[in-house]
Amino acid sequence: MTKFFIDQHGCAKNQVDGELLISHLVEGKFQQVFNPADADLIIINSCGFIESAKKESLDAVYAARKNYPNAKIILAGCLAERYAEAFEEALPEADGFFGNGDLSKITDAAKKIMKGKRIAVKPAQTGVSCGSRNTLLSFKGSAYVKITEGCSNHCSFCAIPLIRGELRSRAAADIIAEIKTLLEKGVFEINLIGQDLAAYGTGAGDDVFGTGRFALPEIAADRTIVPTKKKSALFLLLKEISSLKGKFWIRLLYIHPDHFNRDILDVLKKDERILPYFDIPFQSGSDSIIKAMNRKCSAAEYIRLASDIRSAFPQAALRTTFLTGFPGETEKDAADSVALLKGIQSDWSGSFCYSREEDTASYNLKGRVSKKEASSRAALLVETQKQITQSRLQSRVGKTYDVLIEELVGEQGTGGNAPDGECYAIARAWFQAPEVDGACVVRYDSDDKKAIDAIKPGCVVKAKAVAASDVDLDCIFISDSGVKISDSEKIKFIPNLLQEDNGQA
């Protein structure tokens, strides 16, 4: 039986792809191992979005070839999808290449590569790769569910349409069935993902409810959003999810601000299990740069959107992203981004420097900004966000929250003995998305039997926030409650930290 090791890179969407690759290979009688030294086959599931991510994935290939010379190596994922033909000659360190289209083709490709055939496979970009995932690359109790694939927004800086194709959406019934299966297997937190959740059901060939294609909101001459008269597909999907029984979290990740469906706020108001957490990548606060990015709204409309969300949910959590150093960005444009950040008061944000990607619309634009200047502007946004985050976290101190336990530290966990018999666990509240936001550090005594019984990875307990640090909340366990999540063995959870210990990025 061929033993394989998967080295996972990139975003949550690529993580789902990695989980599907694992499932297909296991079904094809391959055996997964968790140390690359034990593997006959090493799969680098790569990211190809920006220059730094491409370099990281290529470095992983070079390192794998150097450290495990007897293993076969497949470069899979976005980087392979984008450059497979060129890599056939330029990357001899890899034995084969496999794109991110129809992932069910991986088993046949892997078998051919194991037999010594050097191939580059780019399966068709049709539909949305999905199916059974019996291994999750997440902390226990949490999973991602992909509802769309590809993107038709064509932001001028973005290579995603080149890598993953145009937008297509999964049928609502398939999504609901997958969520039900995950809940039955012990998952508490479902994170809905796609390049733009607001575009769900609007792809050229979409028919997610059997009623035809849905329309995106229009943008008025004053660069404000004009809502569609018909309920959005995302609204209807969330309404169906809301009909499911039980206690769980549904989190929405990645909503393009030009398409934000305000009708979804009504669903969230009626079901607290659908979290008022909004990940909206604004990218810039300058109207001229927003337009050059092939986005339609204005900074003022973005601030109005944030205000509308906070009016509906005063404690809503907002996450955003900024891109600095876009061609033509001036000091004033950069200052406008800082002003937007201060205006929306996002709980969390990320900043990254413009990466000049071939075949994107911005590739040949004039007015290129130096990497040094772009980095300096990103650093200013990071520092601004740090101050806002501290203030937002401070406003949450003194309140009690349900928190999802990710890992144990201290006497009960893996971090050794803590002073005075104190233990603590790393957990997340509803306003903290996996991987990207801060955490709740839950403290409890090692002789507290209720705490020991309740605080386990994948379980939900109540904790009171007593202090805030730069990005985390210091909490104490509330012993009179706890939600046990099933310890089902039907899904194998492999936390990212464990994978990092085994050499994965």
Side-chain angles (χ1 to χ4, degrees), residues 8-173:
Q8 186 66 34
H9 297 261
C11 65
K13 294 176 286 296
N14 212 40
Q15 177 176 314
V16 171
D17 288 351
E19 293 163 353
L20 289 167
L21 290 175
I22 292 169
S23 293
H24 288 307
L25 287 168
V26 170
E27 289 171 6
K29 307 305 180 184
F30 286 67
Q31 179 184 349
Q32 185 182 13
V33 296
F34 306 102
N35 187 332
D38 299 329
D40 307 304
L41 173 65
I42 296 174
I43 300 173
I44 314 293
N45 192 28
S46 64
C47 179
F49 180 52
I50 58 176
E51 192 64 33
S52 59
K54 289 187 284 188
K55 182 179 183 303
E56 177 186 291
S57 295
L58 287 174
D59 286 346
V61 174
Y62 300 141
R65 174 54 65 216
K66 178 181 177 181
N67 296 327
Y68 313 105
N70 296 323
K72 295 290 186 181
I73 298 172
I74 297 178
L75 177 65
C78 292
L79 195 60
E81 178 71 23
R82 194 171 179 189
Y83 300 109
E85 293 86 354
F87 283 155
E88 279 193 275
E89 292 186 7
L91 193 64
E93 291 83 358
D95 297 291
F97 307 90
F98 186 82
N100 57 16
D102 182 353
L103 300 179
S104 68
K105 306 295 185 183
I106 183 61
T107 304
D108 288 341
K111 287 179 179 178
K112 290 176 181 177
I113 291 168
M114 290 306 299
K115 290 180 180 179
K117 188 174 182 180
R118 194 164 191 269
I119 58 175
V121 180
K122 291 176 63 174
Q125 289 282 358
T126 56
V128 181
S129 287
C130 54
S132 174
R133 291 177 286 152
N134 292 323
T135 296
L136 297 181
L137 304 174
S138 305
F139 284 105
K140 195 167 186 179
S142 180
Y144 295 103
V145 171
K146 193 187 294 187
I147 70 170
T148 68
E149 184 58 276
C151 185
S152 297
N153 291 328
H154 295 279
C155 296
S156 62
F157 59 86
C158 184
I160 293 300
L162 302 173
I163 298 171
R164 291 186 176 266
E166 296 297 313
L167 172 73
R168 58 257 188 211
S169 306
R170 290 177 67 185

Side-chain angles (χ1 to χ4, degrees), residues 266-299:
D266 293 334
V267 186
L268 273 65
K269 285 179 181 178
K270 295 174 181 177
D271 191 341
E272 61 182 11
R273 300 173 302 176
I274 306 176
L275 306 177
Y277 180 103
F278 303 93
D279 187 340
I280 309 172
F282 292 116
Q283 303 298 8
S284 177
S286 162
D287 285 350
S288 62
I289 296 298
I290 292 169
K291 185 176 181 180
M293 289 177 170
N294 195 33
R295 291 173 164 230
K296 311 303 181 186
C297 287
S298 64

Side-chain angles (χ1 to χ4, degrees), residues 373-399:
E373 184 60 38
S375 297
S376 175
R377 293 172 183 177
L380 178 57
L381 286 164
V382 169
E383 183 58 34
T384 303
Q385 181 61 68
K386 180 180 177 181
Q387 297 172 20
I388 297 171
T389 295
Q390 290 174 346
S391 175
R392 295 288 299 169
L393 285 177
Q394 195 60 48
S395 72
R396 302 191 190 279
V397 171
K399 299 183 174 89

Side-chain angles (χ1 to χ4, degrees), residues 160-231:
I160 293 300
L162 302 173
I163 298 171
R164 291 186 176 266
E166 296 297 313
L167 172 73
R168 58 257 188 211
S169 306
R170 290 177 67 185
D174 290 346
I175 297 169
I176 297 298
E178 181 175 4
I179 291 174
K180 288 175 70 173
T181 298
L182 289 169
L183 295 177
E184 289 167 359
K185 291 182 176 181
V187 174
F188 175 77
E189 176 187 60
I190 302 292
N191 299 285
L192 300 184
I193 57 171
Q195 203 62 37
D196 175 11
L197 296 191
Y200 174 68
T202 67
D206 285 352
D207 187 12
V208 295
F209 288 100
T211 58
R213 179 185 180 188
F214 285 73
L216 288 169
E218 295 182 0
I219 307 300
D222 62 356
R223 299 175 74 170
T224 59
I225 299 173
V226 180
T228 57
K229 295 179 180 179
K230 184 179 179 181
K231 290 294 185 182

